[in-house]
Amino acid sequence: MTIADDATAGGALPGTSDPEPRVRWGLREWLMLVVVCGAFSLDALDNIMVGIATPQIKDEFGMSTSAAQWVVSAYVLGFGGFLLLGGRMSDLLGRRRVFLVGLTVLAAGSLLGGLANSGLLVIVGRLVMGIGAALTAPSALSIVVGNFPEGPQRNRALGIYTACGAIGYSIGVVVGGALTQASWRWTFVLGVPVAIAALIGALVLVPKDPAHDGSKRHFDAAGAITVTAAMLLLVYGIVQAPSAGWFSGVTLGVLAAAAVLLAAFVAIENRSPQPLLRLGLLRNKSLVGASLIAAAILGTYMSYQFIGSLYLQSYRGWSPLQMAFAFLPIGLMILIFAPRAGKWLGRTGLRRPVFGGMFAYTVAFLLFLRVGEGSSYWFVILPSMVLIGVGFPFAFTAANVAATSGVDESEQGLAAGILQTGYQVGAAVVLAVVTVRMGGEESPSHAESLSGYHQGIWVIVLIAAVSAFSVPIAAAAARRKAGGTAKADSAKADSSNAGSPEAGSAASAGSGGAEEADGRTAESAGRSGR
């Protein structure tokens, strides 16, 4: 996975090789960051809270296990399916405008879910919430990137952005557990006033989008339809595969249809004068590498949380609130380290934080393999929680910086959409693979459950380890390639110089001189012989 380090010899990111005086942000900049980060926290808050409330929703409406799965999966479907479109809309229509629309959609979906009188309406509400998040996530990141200049200021802002996401996950676990004990409906309704507050704050604090220059604005409708349909089918195929079977006719048919639509999308974009996705952007190795790392970051974490929740609640019999407090150290560690991550990126470059974060993930998952029937929380579970909380902010912040650095201002929203697609599709794919590896027994025995947890953890250990060590391996390969290119250029330059008229004359003169000298030497040798 290629992550452009963008580091000078001193280790600083571009523009920071010389110590830059600390720029103090005004109250408006801080408040704007709070509003944007609040929306990011809301995305995390909703996802975690409703996930905890799903068993209660299932019981109230008498939903089957496969139907209840869609309370979680519908959100992933809407989020992953509309992310690329949401990112490009931020570039074409304005990041502030799309951010406001996304918050409105998010509030509407939360209200619908909270007032639902059937399981189907809950699922529809979650789908709408996912679509709203697909609009707010790339536009929010684009607002941060667009309003803080590249270098220390942007790294610092992205570190705070990461910390706010951690607050959402941390509070979501605890608040979700507490609200569920009262009523699962509160886990939906709470998002409504938060979204409205963020909407009002954005209207006042987020700078207005630049005025349109008057040129005719073209929207690639065909590209938008095909890529959105393809992503919807892809995510749908992945999330239902564990229950339907990876090689079932439904799964293979849906994934094949997604592949056909993606091929059609590529053909449309190649012919479009103003494509929805400039395909050349996918040649940005740093963006693609960051998106793959993003898939590993969220995919392994969500799978770990899934297994950990089952272990603590189903296997150990803990209450939702007890389980929530068990996961709290992850959020606390992220809250401590995330604001400092941006500063450290400026000193070390991007590769080291990504490697360090994913290596910490790997060790954390290996430690969790020790869980058994009566494992101590303090000595067996807590160390893995702490390591995840330490590793996450460095890998996450570095991935965000790598994905958006060097990307043209007019494509920042699209780059953010590609990165967020990596996060969401990665979460869906890894969780689906982990679920299959754990086994699909309806009523597994105690021993079978524990064995399934271990099998699932081994999957995420492998993914985290490959992601970590691919970074230095890719860096070494890039250095070898650069060295080989430099040698080839040097040899070509020498060959070119050798072939020039001046070089030829010099060579002839040199040759003649050598022959003359050789002749004198031979003559001298002959006289000596005589």
Side-chain angles (χ1 to χ4, degrees):
M1 298 179 191
T2 303
I3 296 286
D5 203 38
D6 289 332
T8 63
L13 294 174
T16 65
S17 54
D18 296 323
E20 182 176 315
R22 185 182 179 90
V23 177
R24 291 188 176 276
W25 296 337
L27 180 62
R28 188 179 184 87
E29 284 80 8
W30 275 110
L31 290 177
M32 179 191 69
L33 194 58
V34 167
V35 167
V36 175
C37 290
F40 180 42
S41 298
L42 179 59
D43 292 344
L45 188 72
D46 281 335
N47 213 11
I48 294 298
M49 287 195 307
V50 177
I52 293 173
T54 298
Q56 282 70 24
I57 297 171
K58 173 179 177 291
D59 292 341
E60 179 166 331
F61 295 117
M63 302 168 71
S64 66
T65 302
S66 58
Q69 171 204 347
W70 281 101
V71 175
V72 175
S73 298
Y75 183 89
V76 177
L77 182 65
F79 201 169
F82 284 84
L83 262 171
L84 285 178
L85 181 60
R88 192 54 177 153
M89 285 173 63
S90 298
D91 295 328
L92 296 176
L93 305 179
R95 54 183 70 127
R96 178 178 182 267
R97 185 176 292 110
V98 172
F99 184 66
L100 295 174
V101 172
L103 286 171
T104 304
V105 174
L106 198 56
S110 299
L111 186 60
L112 175 61
L115 300 178
N117 58 6
S118 70
L120 177 60
L121 280 181
V122 172
I123 293 171
V124 172
R126 289 286 288 163
L127 177 65
V128 174
M129 291 169 67
I131 295 172
L135 299 177
T136 59
S139 57
L141 182 57
S142 182
I143 288 171
V144 173
V145 170
N147 285 278
F148 295 93
E150 189 169 342
Q153 288 196 61
R154 182 179 295 176
N155 296 345
R156 181 185 176 199
L158 287 173
I160 295 170
Y161 184 78
T162 302
C164 289
I167 292 173
Y169 277 107
S170 304
I171 294 178
V173 170
V174 177
V175 174
L179 291 179
T180 300
Q181 305 232 123
S183 171
W184 64 265
R185 294 182 184 275
W186 286 109
T187 62
F188 283 86
V189 174
L190 181 64
V192 178
V194 176
I196 292 174
L199 181 67
I200 295 171
L203 284 169
V204 176
L205 297 166
V206 176
K208 291 185 177 181
D209 299 312
H212 186 49
D213 59 9
S215 60
K216 186 177 180 180
R217 182 178 291 173
H218 173 78
F219 184 74
D220 181 13
I225 292 170
T226 52
V227 74
T228 302
M231 294 307 299
L232 284 169
L233 289 173
L234 176 64
V235 176
Y236 175 78
I238 291 169
V239 298
Q240 61 84 45
S243 58
W246 281 96
F247 297 102
S248 68
V250 173
T251 301
L252 293 177
V254 169
L255 294 179
V260 170
L261 284 172
L262 283 173
F265 171 70
V266 171
I268 291 169
E269 299 309 279
N270 276 326
R271 294 196 301 268
S272 176
Q274 293 182 354
L276 183 76
L277 170 60
R278 184 176 64 81
L279 298 178
L281 191 61
L282 298 180
R283 290 195 290 271
N284 183 327
K285 294 181 179 179
S286 188
L287 172 59
V288 174
S291 299
L292 292 173
I293 289 292
I297 291 171
L298 195 60
T300 54
Y301 173 72
M302 294 301 289
S303 299
Y304 170 81
Q305 186 184 62
F306 175 71
I307 295 170
S309 299
L310 288 176
Y311 171 73
L312 293 175
Q313 290 192 83
S314 300
Y315 189 84
R316 298 286 295 271
W318 290 24
S319 70
L321 192 57
Q322 286 177 307
M323 189 272 296
F325 279 107
F327 277 90
L328 185 59
I330 294 178
L332 293 179
M333 290 296 101
I334 296 175
L335 193 58
I336 291 169
F337 286 98
R340 297 165 175 78
K343 183 185 295 185
W344 288 349
L345 292 185
R347 296 173 180 172
T348 65
L350 300 178
R351 293 190 183 112
R352 291 177 187 173
V354 171
F355 171 77
M358 296 311 297
F359 184 76
Y361 261 40
T362 305
V363 177
F365 301 146
L366 284 170
L367 290 176
F368 195 74
L369 281 168
R370 300 177 299 157
V371 295
E373 189 164 345
S375 299
S376 165
Y377 173 78
W378 299 103
F379 296 106
V380 177
I381 301 173
L382 181 61
S384 70
M385 301 275 185
V386 171
L387 277 174
I388 290 171
V390 172
F392 181 88
F394 293 101
F396 183 87
T397 306
N400 284 337
V401 173
T404 55
S405 295
V407 177
D408 189 82
E409 184 74 15
S410 64
E411 294 181 321
Q412 286 288 351
L414 181 58
I418 293 171
L419 177 68
Q420 292 292 339
T421 300
Y423 281 118
Q424 297 305 315
V425 174
V429 171
V430 176
L431 184 55
V433 173
V434 166
T435 303
V436 171
R437 188 61 182 165
M438 289 173 63
E441 294 86 356
E442 284 294 328
S443 301
S445 67
H446 228 45
E448 287 173 337
S449 294
L450 189 60
S451 175
Y453 303 151
H454 288 159
Q455 293 297 322
I457 289 293
W458 274 117
V459 173
I460 60 176
V461 165
L462 178 62
I463 293 172
V466 169
S467 300
F469 288 100
S470 68
V471 175
I473 291 172
R479 284 194 295 269
R480 284 197 300 270
K481 183 178 180 182
T485 302
K487 288 180 181 178
D489 290 343
S490 176
K492 186 176 180 181
D494 291 344
S495 175
S496 176
N497 290 336
S500 65
E502 293 82 356
S505 299
S508 298
S511 173
E515 289 170 359
E516 186 176 345
D518 289 341
R520 287 195 301 268
T521 301
E523 185 179 350
S524 176
R527 286 196 302 268
S528 298
R530 289 193 294 270

